[in-house]
Amino acid sequence: MPKNPTWLRTRRVLSVTALAALVNGGAFLGSGTASAATTLANQCTGSVSGSMGDTVALPGSSVSALAKQAAASKQQTLLWIIPLNGVNPDGVANALSAKTLTVGTVPSSSRGTIDGKSIGSAVGQALQGNAALGYSADTKKQVLDAITSSITSNCGLTTLATNYTPPTSSSTPPPSNSSPSTNTPPSNPDGGPLANLIPGSTGTAPQRDYNGIPTATPGTAVAPGIRYPANGTLPGSAAPVTAGQDTQSQGPDVRNAGNAESLATSGGASDIQLPMLLAVIVLAGVTAGLVRTWALRRAS
C-alpha cells in the first residue's frame, strides 16, 4: 500500500498542537495557583489585614501631602512667584498621587511590620528623576532626600495575617505517678533511734560499749599516759604548759599571774626613760641630805 504524505503531515501537525496546548495549559494552571493577591492599605499608618504572602500596596495619594510639604521646604522663589531652582511641590504631589506603591508583603506569622524606611524607599523610586524635583541633579537629590526622610519618620504599617494558624504542641506531659515510692522508710510509732533506717542500707549505729574511753573519777589517781594521750590533751581540758613556753601566744584566756604592765615608751632600749631619770634625781636628793646631816654632826 503506498504511503500518503498528506496524512502523515496532518498527523504530525496535530501531535505538535496537542503537545503545545498541554504545556501551555499546565503553565497557566501553575501560574494561577502560585500568584498572590495584592492588599491595598488606605493610609501609611495603622494596620492592614491580608493573607500570608500577599503583597501590600499603598496609594500614592496617602503620602502626597507629606511629599508636598517636604518639597516646599526646599523650594526657592523670587517674590514668592518665580521659581529659582525649579522645585514644584504641587507637581511632586500630583506625580505621586498617580502611582501605586508596593511597600512589602504579609509575613507567614500572625503579625508583622512594614517600617517607614521601606515606604520612603518606595516613594523615592516612584519619584526618581521627576522634573518637579528641580532643575539640577543636586537639587533633585536634596528634595528627594527630604521627601524620603519625612515619610520614613511619619509612616509605618502593621500587617495582620487573616489565615494564620498557630502551631499546636505535639509534646504531651509525662504521666503522673501517684503510686507511693518503694524507697520510703516504714514509719515507727515508737520513735526509736533506728526508726528511719532501711534494712540493707549503709549507716552507722550508736556505740554499744564505752569501756575503752579513758575517764577519771573523783579521788582516783590517773596515770600520766592516760591523763595526757598522744596529742597531749584530754577532750575539754587545757593544753599542758611546758617550761620556757610563751604563754602570751596561747590565746586571750591564758595570762600571767598579777596585773603588772610595762610603762609605754617611744624611745629605744638604750635610752634613759622618765622613771629612771626620776629615780636618779630622788636618789641624788636623798644622798645630798644625808651628806649634809653627816657634815653638820661632825662639825658639832
Side-chain angles (χ1 to χ4, degrees):
M1 180 178 181
K3 295 183 180 181
N4 191 349
T6 304
W7 181 80
L8 292 177
R9 287 195 297 271
T10 303
R11 187 177 65 177
R12 189 177 300 116
V13 170
L14 291 176
S15 300
V16 172
T17 303
L19 181 61
L22 181 62
V23 172
N24 292 333
F28 176 76
L29 293 176
S31 62
T33 56
S35 62
T38 300
T39 301
L40 187 65
N42 296 327
Q43 54 186 1
C44 70
T45 58
S47 61
V48 57
S49 301
S51 300
M52 293 184 298
D54 286 356
T55 301
V56 179
L58 192 68
S61 59
S62 61
V63 293
S64 60
L66 293 173
K68 179 179 178 180
Q69 183 179 2
S73 65
K74 298 296 182 180
Q75 185 183 24
Q76 297 178 3
T77 59
L78 179 62
L79 299 177
W80 301 281
I81 299 175
I82 304 174
L84 296 179
N85 56 356
V87 178
N88 186 3
D90 292 330
V92 171
N94 294 333
L96 197 57
S97 298
K99 296 182 178 294
T100 300
L101 311 173
T102 302
V103 295
T105 58
V106 179
S108 299
S109 59
S110 60
R111 61 189 304 159
T113 57
I114 299 176
D115 56 2
K117 186 176 180 180
S118 301
I119 301 175
S121 177
V123 171
Q125 293 177 2
L127 293 176
Q128 188 71 35
N130 193 282
L133 296 176
Y135 294 142
S136 64
D138 185 57
T139 302
K140 290 181 180 181
K141 183 179 183 305
Q142 292 180 6
V143 175
L144 194 60
D145 290 344
I147 293 174
T148 56
S149 177
S150 177
I151 292 176
T152 299
S153 58
N154 290 281
C155 294
L157 290 172
T158 300
T159 57
L160 303 175
T162 56
N163 59 343
Y164 174 76
T165 303
T168 58
S169 178
S170 60
S171 61
T172 57
S176 59
N177 187 9
S178 59
S179 60
S181 175
T182 57
N183 295 329
T184 304
S187 60
N188 189 352
D190 297 338
L194 302 179
N196 295 327
L197 294 181
I198 303 173
S201 62
T202 59
T204 58
Q207 189 173 352
R208 298 179 182 274
D209 190 3
Y210 296 92
N211 294 329
I213 299 177
T215 58
T217 57
T220 304
V222 181
I226 301 177
R227 185 183 306 167
Y228 300 110
N231 58 356
T233 58
L234 286 176
S237 63
V241 180
T242 59
Q245 184 178 359
D246 186 9
T247 58
Q248 297 295 332
S249 62
Q250 295 182 0
D253 294 335
V254 179
R255 297 175 297 190
N256 291 330
N259 294 321
E261 297 180 358
S262 61
L263 295 177
T265 176
S266 59
S270 61
D271 297 342
I272 299 177
Q273 300 178 0
L274 180 60
M276 179 65 70
L277 183 59
L278 294 177
V280 171
I281 293 174
V282 172
L283 182 59
V286 172
T287 303
L290 291 177
V291 171
R292 182 176 177 276
T293 303
W294 177 75
L296 292 177
R297 287 182 181 179
R298 290 291 298 249
S300 61

